Amino acid sequence: MGGILDQDIKYLPGVGPRRKEILSKELGIETFGDLLEYYPYKYVDRSRIYTISEMSGEMPFVQIRGRILSFEEFDMGRRKKRVVAHMTDGTGIIDLVWFSYAKQITKDYKVNTDYIVFGKPTIYNHRYQIAHPEIELADELKLSEMGMQPYYITTEKMKNAGITSRTLEKLVKTLLEQLRTPLPETLPPFIVNPRMMVSRDTAFRHIHYPKDSSEMSHARERLKFEELFYVQLNIVRYASDHRRKYRGYVFQHVGELFNDFYSNHLPFPLTGAQKRVIREIRKDMGSGRQMNRLLQGDVGSGKTLVALMTMLIALDNGYQACIMAPTEILAEQHLATLREFLGDMNIRVELLTGIVKGKRRQEVLDGLRDGSIQILVGTHAVIEDTVVFRRLGFVVVDEQHRFGVAQRAKLWGKSENPPHVLVMTATPIPRTLAMTLYGDLDVSVIDELPPGRKPVVTLHKYDSQTTSLYQGIRQQIREGRQVYIVFPLIKESEKTDLKNLEEGFEVLTQVFPEFRLSKVHGKMKPAEKEEEMQRFVSGETQILVATTVIEVGVNVPNASVMVILDAQRFGLSQLHQLRGRVGRGADQSYCILVSKPQLSSDTKKRIDIMCDTNDGFQIAEADLKLRGPGDLEGTQQSGMAFDLKIADIARDGQIVQMARDEAQRIIEDDPLCQKAEYQMLWNRLKELRKTNINWAAIS
């Protein structure tokens, strides 16, 4: 931000080294600029005074002007006192209550003096009261200047050190008073003027001290736009550079392998959506620029088939292809699926994961080097330096959110030109988020399910209704089906969760003595986990008791019931992913969400959405609105939780789009970032790249 805003926060009057340490640890505030960008989370209108006769129990924060008539003290045991001040404004009486600091209160506030009191009124013993109010002498408060009072989020440690929202408010006020000259502008007039935006200086002053809600919303609009605009400008610039620098292999012809597969080995007719996506990918691969495409498709929409068919185009042009999965189980499933699809076609497909060792591993490495292996399926073991391809032309990355940008770049080093990259995800991502998370990727969507797939029926039960639930499970298994029962395993409470799983497993063994059960959780050794999974896949066990390790990609067409215990503890996209494990065969499948009867309104919403729709995109939109982008499955793992300080990708979709369009227009006009009229933008982008935003991760 330059200049005064780069100054160390400890030099701001009222901070000092001790407070700086707390602000830095708790909120990441190191400089004047950081404090300025720590925005209020709400405002309370302080310009209005209420009379006591206007009170009602449901009111939010209010201000009253009055005099204290008298104090009363009540013993609360163990040297604790409750102090009550009876106050009047001439229209009625209200009690001000403190549960500590008794001596201090009676010393600080005097009877028969005019005060302005601020707080949230409640009713106790048929009288209005305000607990721990803010009190100031009436003649010191100029109400006309009060406007909207900002409130800042503080942590427990800050409160213990005496840094409250009010403290932060005073520090911001001090800072704004020190900024005597207006802050330099960071957006050029051709962006600001047509949109009638306030200046940057005004935006910062009004976001912290708006006189009214109109000032506040103008300030927010300006700051949100600027934040999103620079994120988008960086992404669009990166993507444009990438396209210019990297030539892609040109796969001109669709040959024998593709045609043979299409005519003789298709397991089911392609849906319109699959055909459309294959066309989009073919166009990219023949264009001479390197493809970077995100393929979104709900669980079971046939992404793997599309990936295989496009890999065959690479093979037809004399190149090797590779598919990377996040886990060994998933890699093995891909291997089995591809081999099953290809049938007796003469194509060599091999596996490379951590389990492939010794002589077997050497054979695979040799086969990649001499080109005899045409398709490699693996985990991130594929990007190790020992793995050398003869001619790698096409890479499919499955579930990209477990696979960061740095790793994608390593793949590019494996051939003279970077291979074409197709990223597949079964976590549908709303458009505004995809534009930001995967800004450098073109997006394809498979939005139809293959024919014959019945939507999964989702039901909600309380944990008091287990008897009927167990009956239903019995019925399904007797009809030859298999069942998943999922326990939450959430990091914070791992120990108790594991205990619940172990105890739950014991209980279920007793409930279903006539059936065989497998148990899988992430704390098991890979080989054990593998063995238990295999027993379920082969049908040797009928019930798989697991944690969310089965969330991604496990394919057991015979499993038709997914029971999710403590469903209130899962996020929407996680519930949707788990539900996608069933409904893979021709039978009607069921997903049963079991929860405690007391649910918060957000949780209730989540469960209702799951019961109402199977559409992953609707669910992702709802998830984004309920939880915000930082929590979305995957955005955290890849370091993509870029620190948006004020914008919210979920709720500010329109601004994201506006910012994107503007960024696109500028890059098209100045792809080499050299024109004088945009110099302010390129300089600002350089400054921002030095800050804490993980720009590389964004792209």
Side-chain angles (χ1 to χ4, degrees):
M1 288 201 179
I4 189 166
L5 295 189
D6 288 336
Q7 285 195 33
D8 191 323
I9 193 71
K10 73 177 174 206
Y11 299 120
L12 185 70
V15 179
R18 176 80 193 99
R19 273 186 167 174
K20 170 187 171 164
E21 194 185 326
I22 291 166
L23 288 173
S24 165
K25 257 203 193 109
E26 295 298 293
L27 303 177
I29 293 176
E30 306 268 348
T31 64
F32 287 11
D34 292 339
L35 178 63
L36 210 47
E37 287 190 341
Y38 191 65
Y39 301 117
Y41 75 99
K42 69 168 185 181
Y43 303 85
V44 173
D45 187 353
R46 296 288 304 258
S47 57
R48 164 148 192 221
I49 295 253
Y50 287 82
T51 61
I52 295 170
S53 61
E54 287 179 281
M55 293 284 109
S56 77
E58 288 303 296
M59 293 181 90
F61 290 86
V62 295
Q63 256 175 163
I64 298 159
R65 180 179 183 136
R67 299 181 157 218
I68 295 174
L69 298 171
S70 62
F71 286 100
E72 264 189 283
E73 287 188 15
F74 301 90
D75 269 325
M76 295 186 47
R78 293 197 58 193
R79 305 206 297 276
K80 275 193 161 181
K81 281 185 163 54
R82 173 165 61 99
V83 181
V84 178
H86 306 294
M87 183 183 205
T88 181
D89 66 351
T91 73
I93 287 183
I94 192 165
D95 292 341
L96 312 178
V97 186
W98 293 267
F99 294 98
S100 43
Y101 319 117
K103 275 201 180 84
Q104 198 59 37
I105 299 299
T106 45
K107 202 171 98 190
D108 284 353
Y109 304 118
K110 305 281 175 279
V111 176
N112 288 331
T113 310
D114 270 2
Y115 289 109
I116 289 196
V117 169
F118 176 73
K120 186 169 173 43
T122 52
I123 297 173
Y124 178 73
N125 278 348
H126 310 296
R127 277 172 77 140
Y128 284 105
Q129 67 166 30
I130 296 179
H132 291 267
E134 282 182 28
I135 300 192
E136 307 206 29
L137 281 167
D139 52 4
E140 284 181 7
L141 261 190
K142 294 186 178 62
L143 282 179
S144 59
E145 286 173 17
M146 278 302 284
M148 315 265 288
Q149 183 177 349
Y151 275 73
Y152 301 87
I153 289 173
T154 52
T155 64
E156 214 43 55
K157 280 190 180 144
M158 288 169 68
K159 285 180 193 132
N160 294 341
I163 303 179
T164 60
S165 168
R166 201 60 202 269
T167 318
L168 284 170
E169 185 196 336
K170 285 176 178 155
L171 292 177
V172 173
K173 194 169 188 169
T174 307
L175 172 57
L176 288 171
E177 281 162 2
Q178 293 211 350
L179 299 175
R180 293 195 177 83
T181 54
L183 289 168
E185 196 42 88
T186 42
L187 290 175
F190 67 78
I191 289 182
V192 174
N193 297 344
R195 293 181 174 81
M196 313 212 357
M197 284 183 193
V198 296
S199 73
R200 177 171 177 245
D201 186 76
T202 303
F204 274 128
R205 292 178 192 278
H206 287 180
I207 193 85
H208 292 287
Y209 285 103
K211 280 202 177 54
D212 51 41
S213 58
S214 156
E215 271 194 3
M216 184 230 354
S217 64
H218 282 115
R220 285 179 76 84
E221 290 289 302
R222 154 72 205 230
L223 294 166
K224 282 179 175 189
F225 178 85
E226 176 166 343
E227 187 167 59
L228 291 167
F229 169 72
Y230 278 108
V231 168
Q232 293 298 343
L233 186 64
N234 191 65
I235 290 168
V236 175
R237 190 193 61 83
Y238 170 85
S240 145
D241 275 4
H242 186 90
R243 288 194 182 112
R244 223 180 31 258
K245 275 188 205 143
Y246 293 108
R247 305 303 302 146
Y249 294 117
V250 180
F251 295 164
Q252 274 182 327
H253 69 289
V254 172
E256 200 182 315
L257 295 174
F258 182 92
N259 291 327
D260 175 18
F261 182 81
Y262 188 69
S263 309
N264 307 316
H265 292 83
L266 264 192
F268 44 78
L270 295 178
T271 60
Q274 284 173 312
K275 287 179 181 166
R276 184 188 69 238
V277 169
I278 291 173
R279 278 198 300 275
E280 288 169 351
I281 295 171
R282 271 189 58 184
K283 195 171 156 210
D284 279 358
M285 296 197 303
S287 69
R289 65 183 181 82
Q290 187 227 354
M291 175 177 82
N292 267 311
R293 191 167 277 282
L294 175 70
L295 174 57
Q296 288 189 299
D298 226 328
V299 176
S301 60
K303 292 184 298 295
T304 314
L305 185 59
V306 167
L308 172 61
M309 292 178 73
T310 45
M311 286 197 280
L312 291 178
I313 297 176
L315 269 54
D316 272 334
N317 284 271
Y319 287 86
Q320 293 162 296
C322 152
I323 181 164
M324 292 183 57
T327 64
E328 295 186 345
I329 287 181
L330 244 181
E332 291 187 16
Q333 286 225 303
H334 277 314
L335 180 75
T337 308
L338 294 184
R339 284 183 171 163
E340 194 181 322
F341 279 155
L342 292 167
D344 57 6
M345 287 180 74
N346 184 19
I347 292 176
R348 188 172 169 202
V349 186
E350 295 289 355
L351 180 74
L352 185 64
T353 65
I355 316 172
V356 181
K357 291 198 166 68
K359 191 171 162 232
R360 184 83 202 88
R361 190 180 191 84
Q362 198 48 53
E363 282 169 13
V364 173
L365 294 177
D366 294 343
L368 290 171
R369 213 179 239 111
D370 66 26
S372 59
I373 294 177
Q374 291 146 289
I375 298 179
L376 179 70
V377 181
T379 51
H380 49 257
V382 168
I383 57 176
E384 289 167 9
D385 296 337
T386 50
V387 181
V388 180
F389 290 83
R390 181 154 175 262
R391 291 184 91 188
L392 178 63
F394 191 76
V395 177
V396 180
V397 182
D398 189 9
E399 289 298 329
Q400 196 259 0
H401 55 249
R402 295 161 198 269
F403 191 73
V405 179
Q407 289 152 308
R408 255 199 285 165
K410 255 190 122 162
L411 272 174
W412 294 333
K414 295 221 173 267
S415 40
E416 66 232 75
N417 278 354
H420 295 296
V421 176
L422 180 68
V423 173
M424 297 198 299
T425 176
T427 312
I429 301 161
R431 204 165 166 279
T432 49
L433 190 59
M435 254 184 335
T436 309
L437 290 187
Y438 301 106
D440 62 325
L441 302 179
D442 300 309
V443 180
S444 286
V445 179
I446 302 182
D447 45 15
E448 293 172 62
L449 285 182
R453 278 281 168 97
K454 296 192 181 99
V456 178
V457 173
T458 306
L459 309 165
H460 176 211
K461 287 190 182 292
Y462 294 120
D463 47 18
S464 52
Q465 302 168 298
T466 46
T467 319
S468 67
L469 174 66
Y470 293 155
Q471 272 318 100
I473 290 176
R474 262 199 189 87
Q475 186 54 40
Q476 285 286 319
I477 298 178
R478 289 203 180 111
E479 288 174 18
R481 317 262 190 284
Q482 288 168 283
V483 177
Y484 294 103
I485 298 180
V486 176
F487 281 80
L489 179 60
I490 316 285
K491 280 208 174 64
E492 293 78 64
S493 53
E494 216 155 75
K495 280 207 173 75
T496 45
D497 278 349
L498 266 177
K499 199 164 142 244
N500 290 349
L501 175 87
E502 302 289 354
E503 285 171 3
F505 185 75
E506 291 307 312
V507 170
L508 289 165
T509 318
Q510 285 155 21
V511 171
F512 298 111
E514 72 272 45
F515 301 132
R516 287 192 296 281
L517 285 74
S518 287
K519 174 175 62 178
V520 174
H521 56 78
K523 287 272 172 277
M524 292 162 77
K525 293 196 172 77
E528 277 178 272
K529 201 157 61 181
E530 201 61 51
E531 194 183 327
E532 286 290 285
M533 286 296 298
Q534 274 334 114
R535 289 176 61 209
F536 185 67
V537 172
S538 68
E540 186 191 325
T541 54
Q542 289 83 41
I543 299 175
L544 175 62
V545 179
T547 58
T548 52
V549 290
I550 58 155
E551 175 190 338
V552 177
V554 177
N555 187 8
V556 183
N558 192 42
S560 64
V561 181
M562 166 64 70
V563 178
I564 303 173
L565 301 175
D566 275 333
Q568 74 278 359
R569 291 180 56 197
F570 293 88
L572 256 178
S573 62
Q574 215 175 13
L575 290 171
H576 181 60
Q577 286 283 336
L578 285 166
R579 172 168 67 186
R581 298 299 108 230
V582 295
R584 296 178 153 252
D587 303 309
Q588 178 60 64
S589 292
Y590 301 90
C591 174
I592 293 132
L593 307 175
V594 183
S595 76
K596 301 196 166 14
Q598 305 81 16
L599 297 176
S600 72
S601 68
D602 263 11
T603 310
K604 182 89 183 72
K605 266 188 216 150
R606 278 210 300 273
I607 288 176
D608 289 348
I609 290 164
M610 284 298 294
C611 294
D612 291 346
T613 179
N614 278 296
D615 180 328
F617 283 93
Q618 274 186 30
I619 286 169
E621 286 286 354
D623 200 17
L624 193 51
K625 286 201 167 64
L626 284 171
R627 296 200 296 168
D631 302 327
L632 263 198
E633 197 55 36
T635 53
Q636 300 261 283
Q637 290 124 306
S638 56
M640 287 184 181
F642 37 85
D643 237 357
L644 290 177
K645 302 232 170 44
I646 190 165
D648 173 338
I649 291 173
R651 294 174 184 82
D652 298 324
Q654 249 179 323
I655 305 178
V656 173
Q657 188 65 61
M658 251 166 56
R660 177 69 164 204
D661 293 345
E662 187 62 53
Q664 202 93 49
R665 195 189 62 68
I666 289 164
I667 292 289
E668 277 166 21
D669 190 38
D670 184 17
L672 300 175
C673 310
Q674 290 170 341
K675 290 194 177 177
E677 70 223 64
Y678 302 122
Q679 228 30 66
M680 174 194 274
L681 302 177
W682 309 133
N683 293 340
R684 178 74 178 138
L685 206 50
K686 267 196 205 112
E687 258 175 59
L688 286 168
R689 289 173 79 94
K690 290 181 203 145
T691 64
N692 58 353
I693 295 183
N694 186 353
W695 292 97
I698 292 176
S699 56

